[in-house]
Amino acid sequence: MEIIWFGALAVLLVGYFALEGFDIGLGILLPVLGRSQEDRDRLVGAMAPFVLAGEVWLVALVGVLFGAFSTLEGAVLSGLYPLVVALLLTWIVRDAGLWFRRRADGAAWRTLWDGAICLGSAGLALTWGMTLVALARGLSAPLLAPAGVAGGIVVALAFCLHGWTFAAWRLPGDPAVRGARRTGRALLLTALTAAIPAVLAVAVVASALIEHAAPPETLTTLGAIVLPCVPILVGAQVWVWRTFSRGALPTFF
Amino acid sequence: MDVVDLARTQFAVTGSLHFLFVVLTLGLAPLVAIMHTRYAITGNPLHERMTRFWGQIYVINYALGVFTGLVMEFQFGLSWSGLSHYAGDVFGAPLAIETLVAFFLESTFLGLWIFGWHRLPRALHVTCIWLVTLTAYASAFWIMVANSFLQHPVGSVEQGGRLVLRDFGALLTNPNLVFALPHVISAGLWTGGFVVMGASAYHLFRRTKEQEFFTRSLRMGVVTAFIGSLFTVGFGYAQFGVIEATQPDKFDAAPEAALGLMIGIGQLLQFGVMFLLLPLLFRNLLARWRWLHPVLMLITPLPFVAAIAGWLVREMGRQPWLVYGKLSVADAMTPGLSRTAITGSFIGFAGLLGLLAIIDYLLIARAVRRGPEQVSLGMPDRPAEPAPMPAHSL
């Protein structure tokens, strides 16, 4: 049972990096690729339907940490206190940009929230890199170290690559990506690239995680309720990808 | 304030903000689902417009529910690691199920619903909003299971200084859950009903051209508020016996003013809805009596006030315990949490969420004011290709 829940945690973290990484990366690149409002609207429209289905992987990850690895949950989140606070604040700023940018008229309003998307995404990527490095080095190491900053830059670059590939796949030949076209296979490849930092971090902390798993009563109860729902969870995600991979762009975000 | 007080206040502020938005989400979701179903069955454009207008208000409100909810989830580990250490193997299970199953699906299906206009077949699109409603209620259920455990820690035994899960079924049948859950859900319907009433009254009072739209909406709002208020009050009073048996000193610890405020608002409004507003639906008198509309607008915030007061009673009545009778709030706080850390995060969370909450309410007010003519939810998609550049003539 410990192995199953460790697997769940690993899948959620890796899945988050692969499925949310391109949203974050495209957010960072928004002012670079989208020189005009029109271009930015297309880029946001391309990624918008995937954001809600992507960020829930992180929400679920922390839930699993709480339910199945409860002694670690408090230690990890409070041990990484400033990073977790920064992660939440930047995440919320990014999301606010997406939800609010089209809720009022005027170029200034939309530019303001596009700025929030870019800054929030950049902060989110950097914080993630620093968090993974801090996790891998152990919670006693200082949080603000050159290695952490380097990790943040690596994650941000990987997300940017993933985000750019997503844009060239969803908007093939678009001027925002200078006419580039990428296949689904290329997108899969950058998804794997974006997930590498998460895979490495999970590998380093694997044994500590499994040691701190909740007792069997808790894990079995959780499993009995969650496992039957897994096909629905996967099905809903597949449905999102099948629905929004091609065709016209939704305009709500 | 010492560090524990700061951490408590941070949780109270973010929790109250969260519930302000969640309570409306719970109330509007089924209403939007019903409107969408009517549209899907009849094809009547009025129902489509109602779905999009009220759906957009639901969605704008939902955003802040998510932002505040993220902070709530992470805050347990940030400020209260003593809770997850002591009771995480029990308390964590419902929270894990809520995030991994209920919220995961709610957010995924909501994305399909928001962006799926003109794309999903009508029946599947309607199914999405019903799944959103179902999973939102499932979320409420699991959160209330977790909260009720804090009020009355059943189903577990203490072993080696930590709680171990013994009987998960006892968590699901916790006496502090069985009346409180319908109480909270009905309060959501009540709030949703009042928001629909207040916004409809605005348009009827202003004599905008959407008279039929808002006459029907007003009717739906009043009926919803009637059902919601009836069950909120009923399940509210029903809890006194349970509280007497499980938390006898609850009302000594809770601020009396909050309890009085909740009961005062609740009782007054419930009678008002039942004996005044509901009968005035006869021949649409309520929609026609324009002098009453400012009153309807003015009372719109009251269910929100009562809902927050209710939570304050429930949570302050638990003090000084976090897990009632077992773990004190002070012992649950993260060891070594510094004043700098909690002050910094408090300013960050309360400042950002407070600002976004104000913006969100202004956006909701704007969407209401602009009316059903200018709704962006369900607007046509745009071609993936950029608009052709204007040709330069030499």
Side-chain angles (χ1 to χ4, degrees), chain A residues 208-231:
Chain A
L209 265 174
I210 294 172
E211 264 174 44
H212 286 85
E217 294 93 333
T218 304
L219 296 184
T220 311
T221 306
L222 275 178
I225 295 174
V226 171
L227 289 182
C229 299
V230 168

Side-chain angles (χ1 to χ4, degrees), chain B residues 246-298:
Chain B
T246 57
Q247 293 181 319
D249 53 353
K250 183 151 200 141
F251 300 122
D252 304 331
E256 216 162 278
L259 182 68
L261 187 67
M262 173 185 70
I263 295 180
I265 292 176
Q267 200 57 79
L268 196 70
L269 291 187
Q270 194 241 328
F271 282 148
V273 172
M274 185 158 67
F275 294 121
L276 188 67
L277 303 186
L278 196 67
L280 287 180
L281 292 184
F282 179 69
R283 298 187 175 203
N284 288 323
L285 287 177
L286 187 61
R288 300 203 321 242
W289 285 2
R290 194 162 165 261
W291 59 274
L292 262 177
H293 298 159
V295 179
L296 297 186
M297 287 183 251
L298 281 173

Side-chain angles (χ1 to χ4, degrees), chain B residues 13 21 40 69 119 133 212 264:
Chain B
V13 168
F21 293 91
R119 194 174 292 249
T133 308
E212 190 198 355

